[in-house]
Amino acid sequence: MQLVVARIGRAHGIKGEVTVEVRTDEPELRLGPGAVLLTDPAATGPLTIETGRVHSGRLLLRFEGVKDRTGAEALRNTLLIAEVDPEELPEEEGEYYDHQLMDLDVVTADGVEVGRITEISHLPSQDLFIVERPDGSEVLIPFVEEIVSEIDLEAQRAVITPPPGLIDDQAEIASTREDDA
C-alpha cells in the first residue's frame, strides 16, 4: 500500500536541499537517510534520501543525484510516497493510518448509526472525519478523544459521543450575556 508521507517545498540554499511538508506522524521512520520513495508525478522519482536535518523547525532533505539549487527547485510540489505493508500499525498506541479508518461505520455510543467515513481531512489543529450519512449528506466529526471514544478495527466501526448540535439540530446556545429585556 502506498502512503503520501511528504510534499517537497522550495529549495533551501545552493547545495540541493529542499524543505518538505511532512505528512506522516513517523518522519524518522519514513524520511530517514537511505529511504527510497516513489513520487507523484512518477517521472520525478524514485528518490533516495541522502541526508536530512531540521532547520528553524522545518525538515530539510537532500536526495541522491540532486546537487544544486536548480535540481532542487525542479522537485518543488512533488509528493513523496512510501510503500507500506497494509497490515502494519503505527508505533504509537491509539494512532491509525488513514487507510485503516476509511470506510469505518460511525455510530454513537448508544448504537445510533451516523454514517461511514469517506475521507479524512488533516488540518493544523486536528483531523476531521468526513462522514457520509445514509441520506447522502455529510457531517464533519473532529477526530479528538472527547468525541471519538473508540476505534474498533475488527468490527470496522468508530464509536462517537457527539456534543449537542454536531450531528443533529439540537445545539445548545451558551452565552455569557444577560438578557436586556
Side-chain angles (χ1 to χ4, degrees):
M1 164 166 281
Q2 297 181 342
L3 295 176
V4 173
V5 293
R7 184 184 64 81
I8 298 175
R10 59 185 167 79
H12 180 83
I14 60 171
K15 296 182 179 178
E17 284 184 312
V18 295
T19 61
V20 293
E21 173 189 314
V22 177
R23 295 189 180 174
T24 176
D25 289 339
E26 303 167 318
E28 63 286 342
L29 178 66
R30 308 280 179 221
L31 300 171
V36 179
L37 302 166
L38 302 174
T39 60
D40 181 9
T44 308
L47 294 172
T48 302
I49 297 174
E50 188 174 286
T51 64
R53 66 187 178 102
V54 176
H55 174 73
S56 297
R58 289 191 77 72
L59 179 61
L60 302 178
L61 297 179
R62 180 179 298 129
F63 299 100
E64 289 181 6
V66 180
K67 300 297 180 195
D68 59 20
R69 186 174 185 88
T70 304
E73 224 16 89
L75 297 175
R76 191 173 194 157
N77 293 322
T78 298
L79 295 177
L80 299 175
I81 303 166
E83 195 67 44
V84 177
D85 180 351
E87 301 301 314
E88 182 181 330
L89 296 173
E91 292 178 347
E92 296 289 323
E93 186 177 327
E95 290 187 2
Y96 304 92
Y97 293 127
D98 286 4
H99 71 272
Q100 294 172 304
L101 301 171
M102 294 297 291
D103 293 324
L104 290 184
D105 292 323
V106 178
V107 298
T108 62
D110 55 2
V112 175
E113 179 185 0
V114 176
R116 182 179 55 85
I117 300 173
T118 57
E119 190 177 338
I120 299 161
S121 180
H122 300 281
L123 303 176
S125 59
Q126 67 193 18
D127 295 336
L128 288 176
F129 291 157
I130 299 170
V131 177
E132 184 178 321
R133 296 174 145 206
D135 66 6
S137 64
E138 288 183 338
V139 63
L140 303 178
I141 308 286
F143 187 21
V144 294
E145 195 174 326
E146 294 81 17
I147 296 173
V148 180
S149 58
E150 178 186 355
I151 298 289
D152 186 341
L153 295 178
E154 285 191 26
Q156 287 291 292
R157 70 183 184 145
V159 179
I160 64 170
T161 53
L166 184 65
I167 61 173
D168 56 29
D169 294 331
Q170 305 302 315
E172 292 180 8
I173 307 299
S175 176
T176 57
R177 290 187 282 167
E178 294 182 31
D179 291 337
D180 292 335

Short mmCIF file of all heavy atoms in Angstrom, two decimals, residues 27 75 98 131 156 167 180:
data_model
loop_
_atom_site.label_atom_id
_atom_site.label_comp_id
_atom_site.label_asym_id
_atom_site.label_seq_id
_atom_site.Cartn_x
_atom_site.Cartn_y
_atom_site.Cartn_z
N PRO A 27 8.07 10.66 10.80
CA PRO A 27 9.07 11.11 9.82
C PRO A 27 10.42 10.41 9.99
O PRO A 27 11.09 10.15 8.99
CB PRO A 27 9.18 12.61 10.08
CG PRO A 27 8.64 12.83 11.44
CD PRO A 27 7.63 11.74 11.67
N LEU A 75 12.12 19.85 -8.16
CA LEU A 75 11.34 18.87 -7.38
C LEU A 75 10.14 19.51 -6.66
O LEU A 75 9.32 18.79 -6.10
CB LEU A 75 12.24 18.19 -6.35
CG LEU A 75 13.40 17.37 -6.90
CD1 LEU A 75 14.27 16.88 -5.75
CD2 LEU A 75 12.89 16.21 -7.75
N ASP A 98 -4.56 6.45 7.72
CA ASP A 98 -5.81 6.83 7.06
C ASP A 98 -6.52 5.63 6.45
O ASP A 98 -7.74 5.49 6.58
CB ASP A 98 -5.57 7.88 5.98
CG ASP A 98 -5.28 9.26 6.55
OD1 ASP A 98 -5.19 9.39 7.80
OD2 ASP A 98 -5.14 10.20 5.76
N VAL A 131 -17.88 12.21 7.16
CA VAL A 131 -18.76 11.05 7.28
C VAL A 131 -19.97 11.24 6.37
O VAL A 131 -20.67 12.25 6.45
CB VAL A 131 -19.22 10.86 8.74
CG1 VAL A 131 -20.20 9.71 8.87
CG2 VAL A 131 -18.00 10.64 9.65
N GLN A 156 -14.85 -2.88 12.42
CA GLN A 156 -14.95 -1.86 11.36
C GLN A 156 -15.90 -0.73 11.76
O GLN A 156 -16.81 -0.38 11.01
CB GLN A 156 -15.38 -2.50 10.04
CG GLN A 156 -14.28 -3.32 9.37
CD GLN A 156 -13.17 -2.42 8.86
OE1 GLN A 156 -13.37 -1.66 7.93
NE2 GLN A 156 -12.00 -2.47 9.49
N ILE A 167 -24.15 16.40 15.22
CA ILE A 167 -24.75 15.57 14.18
C ILE A 167 -26.26 15.77 14.08
O ILE A 167 -26.92 15.11 13.29
CB ILE A 167 -24.43 14.07 14.38
CG1 ILE A 167 -24.97 13.57 15.71
CG2 ILE A 167 -22.95 13.83 14.23
CD1 ILE A 167 -24.85 12.08 15.91
N ASP A 180 -31.29 41.60 28.13
CA ASP A 180 -31.55 43.01 28.43
C ASP A 180 -33.04 43.26 28.65
O ASP A 180 -33.43 44.29 29.19
CB ASP A 180 -31.04 43.91 27.29
CG ASP A 180 -29.52 43.89 27.22
OD1 ASP A 180 -28.88 43.61 28.27
OD2 ASP A 180 -28.97 44.14 26.14
#
